[in-house]
Amino acid sequence: MLLRFSVALAALPACVVAFPINGTRAQKLIESTDSELVSSALTGDRAAQHALYVRHVDHVTQRVARLLGRSAEAEDVVQDTFVVAFRDLAQLSEPARFGGWLSVIGVHQVHRRLRRRALLRRIGLDSQTDDVSLSCIVDPAAGPFVRTMLKQLDEALVRLPIELRLAWMLRHVEGCALPEVAEQCRVSLATVKRHLVRADKELRQYIDFEGNAEESAVDQIHMVSDRGKQ
Amino acid sequence: MRTPILPNRDPSGIEDECRSECLSAMRLPDPLTRVLKQPAGSTNYPLLWRRVEVQLDQSSLPAGLGKRTGFGWWQVVAASALGGVILLLLVLTHGGPSMGVVENVINEPQQESAAVEQSLAADVQADVTWSSVGDTGLRLRGGAAFSGIEARSVPKAVTFEDGSSLRLAQHSVVDALVMSARDVVLRLSMGKLVLNVMPDGVRRWTVQAGAVSVEVVGTRFIVERTAERVTVTVSHGTVLVRSEDLPERVERVGAGESLSVDIVSLSSHTDEQTKRTTKSDSQPPVGAVAALLERADRARLQGDWSVARHSLERVVNEFTDDPRAPLAAYQLATVRQSQGAAPEQVAAAFAYALRQNLGTSLRQDCYWRLLQAQIASGQRAASKETARVALEDFPDGRYSRRMREFLDGALAE
């Protein structure tokens, strides 16, 4: 009985269990700007921290998941991101830009996780699957050709050095402006431009390596649907 | 029809700068958000927040002060040196970490069945494997690290420092893929395990059984894996079972419920037709190869390389005489490449595929990929030979120009 009760308690939303917030306070938190919430959070106000978390967790999780390609690791990275953000909150010079700053921390955590993954892969211990790769999150209405292209792109992106991969994905998947990409990658604008050009060049070489994009897509379609003719 | 390239969200006005020629060549929009759907939000946000809170509390500093109540560098060095001395003394006096594991297992409290007690007295040392990478945030009771256990003729059991326990039935194998402060991921390669996870913990426990994964927070459940099926039975609490063979790819299983997932979808065939065959046996079961290849295709499209590799290896090894086996061999080599295998292994896989009866188009691709893998692995002589043979086979092929350039450059050195 105690075990079952404990399990049920664990399933309740954290904000209900952790502190009883009355409606007025909750409403005030919802209506507060990031600046106001950051100021409160700096004094140790856990409710303000939670409000910031609720406001930004979905966006951070989506971005981290797309950059990592794996939902299983995304939550870990998101957790680390918020812990670092709240721990180092005093270093945020512009409280109104909490969201952007959080994203910078998230990308840095993704970078660390990708480095670790590369090491595990080199020694054959990377057994997880990419369930949020581009080809896995393609819009069903996009069609099989787009899906096949994205599959090739996934394979090519994995081969890029991590810095190039992140810069390219922030620019061409997330749609970030160049200054934002530079900020999130923690490099200069000139460097990020070099990264993007080099990444694009290497991706093109890989696609050319396949023969060309269209031919390989046709081959793949034949492999799936026309086995008897082989 | 050419896909229109949409303007990106760049507010700085430098829209054309650093546009992707790769996406243009692939006729994809830039950025790609137009053809991507939003991944579903996680249902774990409340639990995630609790973990964040726990970590913030454990860091023991008022949030936002940004200053750790840490130690000076000399204190860190002194602590490290002291820790090293203690470890050395432990090794010298107790013979290493393996003894700690044996002691931990032997000192388990009395179990329900005599068979389990018998297993505790058995020579467990040879069955326990050690991981060489990854942090071991969660340890066994007693402090020893855990990275796997195999139960042979008798069941085995271990208890973790947080009170969670794992029991293996006989003829079962479990590896620990991740044992961190936040996650425990166990892989059940075969057999049956009973897992009792303490509730209100901060760790997320996951059991991987082939293409099926079971996620849990605070519960007791059983996972059983056979060659054809994975069965999850929950005693207390709730688990999430994920598998591409489930209708919605995820299913919630509550207390008192059980869920079975077939590993290979051969449900349209009779038992006689799905029996495994060897090369010397009669004709392969009708539809078995097609089902395996279809499964491999699905897995490849999802990026699930392990499942794809397993399915293709079965075709290559068990149905060698099937006309689709060469195609499977080629696809297996590409899967190995996608998995990030060492270039030597990739080269060997493509070399094997080349020896099969591949069609013209695939054969050309195979030569080119083999050449690339041989270059990447430093096999210069072999790569030159490959280019030479490929040009003899396909003097006007898709890659002939590049192969000639490679040979010219290689011979000039």
Side-chain angles (χ1 to χ4, degrees), chain B residues 206-220:
Chain B
T206 306
V207 176
Q208 297 273 8
V212 178
S213 74
V214 184
E215 291 180 20
V216 56
V217 176
T219 190
R220 177 187 168 93

Side-chain angles (χ1 to χ4, degrees), chain B residues 312 328-338 346 349-351 353 366 369:
Chain B
L312 292 168
Y330 172 80
Q331 287 186 327
L332 181 58
T334 63
V335 165
R336 296 291 286 135
Q337 190 171 42
S338 299
V346 173
F350 279 117
C366 206
R369 289 176 185 256

